[in-house]
Every structure is written in C-alpha cells, then in structure tokens.
C-alpha cells in the first residue's frame, strides 16, 4: 500500500511539473504567434531564444521561474507593425538597462522602497488586465472557453489533477482539427532566420516608443513582484531569488539573445503564479518548456506552424484568465490592515486608469507618507 501511494505521489509531482511547464501558454502563445504570423518575424530566432533562456533558468534557479515575452514591447510591435530591427534594439537596450540597475545595486534599493502593499496593487492591476484580455479572447466562442475553465477548476478535486491543463490543450486541438468550428490563429507562414543589426533610426525609435513604456512594468512585475512572490513560495531560496538576480538573468538573456532574433524577454509574477498553481516546483518545468521551444525552432515548418495554429483562441483565453486570477488574488484582501488595503487598491486603480509607472509612483508616495507619519508619531510619544 505504501509503495502504491509513493508511486501515485511521484506521478502527481511529475504531472505537475509537466502541466506547470505549459501553464503560461495563455500569455506566451498569443504574443509569440502574432509576432510570427502578423509581423513575419523569424520563428526560429524567437523560439530558440525562449528555449535557451528557459534552460538556463532551470540550471541557475532550480525553480520554475517563468520566461515570458515583454508584453508592452510585443503588443506595440504587433499593433503598429514595427520592424524586426526595432524589436531587436528594444531587447538589447532593455538588457543593458537591467544589467546597469543590477550591478550598480539600484534595483536592490528600488525593491526596498516597494512595500508588499504596492507590489500587490501592481499585481492586482496586471491580473485584472490579463483577465480582461482572456475574456476578449473567449468572446466569440464562450462555450469552449467556459468548458476549459470548468474542467481545469474541477480537476483540483481529482487524482493527478495537474494533467487537466495539457489534457484540455490536446483535446481542444483535436476538436479544432476535426471540426474547425472555433476561432484560432491564422496559419503561420514559414520564414527564414533573420540575422541583421538595427539601424540608427530603429535604435532611437525603439528607445522612445518601446523601451520607456516597458521599463516600469518590467521593474515592478518581472523583477520586484516576481522576486517577492518567489520568496514567498520558495523561502529557502530567498537569496538566489532576489530582485538583483532576476534583473541579471533577464538582462544577460536579452543582451546575448536579441542579436540572434529573440524577442525581448523577462520573468513575470503572473507566470510564476499560474505555473505554481498547476504544480511546477522544480527545475523540471522550465527544462521541459525550454526543450520544447528548441525542438519547435529546429523543426519549424508548415507542419509545426499549422499544429500550433490548431489551439483555439478561447482555450488560450481561459489559460490567460486563470493566470490573471492567480496573480490578482492575495490574502491581504482579507487579513490586511485598512491602510494596507487602501494602498493596494489605490495603486491598482492608478495602474489601470493611467499606467504602471504612475501607479508605482502613487503607491510609493502613499507608503512614504505612512512611514513619515509613523516616525512623527513615535517622536511625539
């Protein structure tokens, strides 16, 4: 009997690593496939970049630290039809900035100024945005998206519950293949691996149009908030998961891989939340994800493109909704002090109404005011 339970536990852990490895596809695939299908970027360079970054993360952190596209940069490149050179320049510039902040110690100082309430507020805003995007992706075929959500939700009460997510993906692809009755990506065309160097105009345009809007989100969500969440989930690895380390790994990855066609990449609190939720706990999850990306890059062709295009948008939307929910929720909503909750919702509201940089500024100012008020009160007493 003991052997039976031990075997089931091992199977459950491995299924969790496998499921967690692909739990962040709701964020990853829409942006990556859009860059390839709509902007004609090199699929080999993009997937190879993610694969090498994820394999390095597996060896360095030994934990399921996520690897994601930088959302603001990718979204702007897709929406405005920008060139591969601009995407390449933005990745290199982000890499340089992150490395300067990491090695100078500035990122450590910035992390100390960001209280848990401010971090949670930023996570809440980003989580709500992901939920909204997921809903839009499900809007044309609600039934498929809701069925996927229901299967994943109720699977938590079943043995080997972490297999639900890959089972939903595979089932949806088979259903789409035989019926073709759901919205999906336009089949991705084959393109050559692009190796070029940005022009002067592409450097300057990328710096103002792409890097500056992305920087605030990267520092808050991909570095500081991810570090805070990782330390909470893996407290024994606190020093290795510090903001300085996350900034270094993101910085070096972008600086070294962007010249070879990789898109701008980072970590992300939402990715960590959803991967952990689906069972990822060790290096195995990023190793599986990284190996899969490298295989896709090496085997890229019309067949691989058409296979990825079978995933219904509604199913990706359901995964994105789950990622947003996991990121947005915090126990501080229940047990936090009144002022803490006020800071959380004030930060989130400004992030949603203006932008992440403004929300960060408001949250920091509120926390500085609180600390100053406490200092004055202590002096008076």
């Amino acid at each position: 009997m003991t052997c039976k339970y031990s075997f089931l536990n091992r199977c459950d852990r491995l299924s969790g690593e496998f499921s967690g490895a692909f739990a962040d596809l709701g964020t990853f695939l829409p942006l990556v496939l859009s860059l390839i299908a709509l902007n004609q970027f090199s699929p080999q360079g993009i997937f190879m970049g993610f694969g090498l970054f994820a394999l390095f993360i597996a060896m360095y952190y030994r934990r399921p630290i996520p690897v994601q596209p930088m959302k603001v940069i990718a979204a702007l490149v897709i929406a405005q039809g920008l060139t591969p050179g601009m995407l390449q320049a933005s990745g290199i510039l982000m890499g340089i900035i992150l490395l300067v902040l990491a090695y100078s110690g500035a990122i450590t100082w910035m992390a100390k100024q960001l209280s848990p309430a401010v971090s949670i507020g930023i996570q809440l805003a980003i989580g709500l945005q992901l939920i909204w995007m997921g809903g839009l992706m499900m809007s044309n075929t609600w039934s498929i998206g809701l069925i996927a959500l229901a299967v994943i939700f109720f699977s938590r009460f079943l043995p080997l519950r972490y297999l639900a997510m890959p089972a939903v993906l595979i089932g949806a692809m088979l259903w789409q293949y035989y019926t073709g009755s759901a919205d999906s990506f336009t089949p991705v065309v084959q393109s050559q691996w692009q190796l070029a160097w940005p022009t002067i105009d592409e450097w300057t345009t990328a710096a103002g149009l792409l890097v500056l809007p992305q920087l605030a989100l990267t520092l808050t969500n991909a570095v500081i908030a991810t570090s805070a969440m990782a330390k909470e989930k893996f407290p024994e690895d606190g020093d290795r998961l510090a903001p300085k380390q996350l900034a270094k790994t993101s910085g070096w990855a972008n600086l070294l891989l962007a010249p070879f066609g990789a898109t701008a990449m980072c970590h992300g609190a939402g990715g960590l939340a959803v991967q952990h939720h689906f069972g990822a706990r060790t290096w195995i999850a990023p190793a599986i994800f990284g190996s899969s990306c490298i295989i896709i890059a090496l085997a890229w062709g019309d067949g691989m493109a058409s296979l990825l295009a079978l995933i219904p948008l509604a199913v990706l939307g359901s995964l994105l909704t789950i990622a947003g929910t996991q990121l947005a929720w915090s126990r501080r909503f229940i047990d936090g002090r009144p002022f803490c909750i006020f800071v959380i919702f004030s930060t989130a509201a400004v992030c949603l109404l203006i932008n992440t940089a403004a929300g960060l500024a408001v949250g920091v100012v509120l926390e500085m005011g609180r600390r100053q008020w406490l200092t004055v009160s202590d002096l008076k007493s």
Side-chain angles (χ1 to χ4, degrees):
M1 186 67 70
T2 302
C3 293
K4 177 181 177 181
Y5 283 122
S6 177
F7 175 74
L8 287 176
N9 286 335
R10 286 197 297 270
C11 289
D12 192 50
R13 288 196 296 270
L14 288 175
S15 66
E17 298 292 346
F18 183 82
S19 183
F22 302 105
D24 200 25
L25 290 183
T27 304
F28 176 80
L29 278 183
L31 294 176
V32 168
L33 293 188
S34 294
L35 285 171
I36 297 170
L38 302 179
N39 296 69
Q40 304 295 298
F41 287 5
S42 167
Q44 296 94 334
I46 291 176
F47 278 106
M48 184 63 72
F50 281 108
L52 293 175
F53 190 17
L55 289 179
F56 174 77
I57 292 302
M59 293 185 293
Y60 186 78
Y61 290 112
R62 314 293 293 180
R63 294 294 186 185
I65 302 301
V67 173
Q68 302 176 331
M70 289 189 179
K71 299 177 185 65
V72 173
I73 288 177
L76 287 173
V77 168
I78 293 166
Q80 300 189 24
L82 303 182
T83 65
M86 291 183 189
L87 182 65
Q88 188 180 35
S90 66
I92 296 172
L93 290 172
M94 285 297 301
I96 293 172
I97 292 171
L98 288 172
L99 290 174
V100 170
L101 292 174
Y103 285 103
S104 68
I107 194 68
T108 303
W109 177 85
M110 294 173 67
K112 291 179 180 178
Q113 309 309 308
L114 189 67
S115 72
V118 178
S119 178
I120 292 169
I122 293 170
Q123 293 178 43
L124 173 60
I126 297 172
L128 292 175
Q129 290 173 334
L130 293 180
I131 292 171
W132 176 257
M133 290 172 61
L136 292 177
M137 293 170 67
M138 292 190 291
S139 60
N140 289 333
T141 47
W142 279 107
S143 57
I144 298 173
L146 293 177
I147 289 172
L149 280 174
V151 171
I152 293 172
F153 175 80
F154 288 110
S155 67
R156 68 178 63 188
F157 305 110
L158 301 174
L160 302 180
R161 59 193 182 278
Y162 298 129
L163 289 177
M165 198 279 297
V168 165
L169 273 178
I170 294 172
M173 292 172 70
L174 290 173
W175 181 82
Q176 176 72 356
Y177 176 78
Y178 286 109
T179 66
S181 56
D183 288 344
S184 62
F185 289 100
T186 302
V188 187
V189 299
Q190 185 174 4
S191 59
Q192 299 299 316
W193 198 323
Q194 299 154 342
L195 293 175
W197 193 250
T199 65
I200 296 297
D201 289 340
E202 288 174 330
W203 282 108
T204 55
T205 302
L209 183 62
L210 301 176
V211 173
L212 290 180
Q214 177 67 57
L215 188 58
L217 180 60
T218 296
L219 293 178
T220 52
N221 179 58
V223 176
I224 297 173
T226 302
S227 174
M229 181 176 291
K231 289 179 179 180
E232 178 185 343
K233 297 185 181 302
F234 309 109
E236 65 275 17
D237 297 330
D239 292 340
R240 192 168 49 180
L241 299 170
K244 183 177 182 179
Q245 300 304 320
L246 296 178
K248 284 182 180 179
T249 51
S250 293
W252 281 116
N254 283 293
L255 186 61
L256 297 176
L257 296 175
F260 297 95
T263 185
M265 300 176 291
C266 62
H267 306 299
L272 177 57
V274 73
Q275 288 184 28
H276 190 274
H277 172 75
F278 280 104
R281 298 292 185 273
T282 69
W283 62 272
I284 296 175
I288 292 173
F289 175 76
S291 300
S292 301
C293 287
I294 290 178
I295 291 172
I296 291 173
L298 295 176
W300 186 265
D302 292 334
M304 184 65 70
S306 299
L307 180 65
L308 291 176
L310 286 175
I311 303 175
L313 282 177
V315 172
L316 289 178
S318 69
L319 296 181
L320 195 59
T321 300
I322 292 171
T325 303
Q326 292 296 315
L327 181 60
W329 171 250
S330 172
R331 288 195 59 84
R332 291 292 181 94
F333 300 153
I334 299 174
D335 55 20
R337 295 181 179 180
F339 187 83
C340 174
I341 295 176
F342 172 73
V343 172
I344 291 173
F345 284 100
S346 297
T347 302
V350 176
C351 286
L352 292 171
L353 294 174
I354 305 178
N355 56 47
T356 306
L360 172 64
V362 168
V364 170
V365 168
L366 288 174
E367 279 295 315
M368 290 176 61
R370 181 183 68 87
R371 292 171 185 171
Q372 186 65 28
W373 181 80
L374 290 175
T375 301
V376 173
S377 298
D378 290 341
L379 291 175
K380 289 182 178 180
S381 61

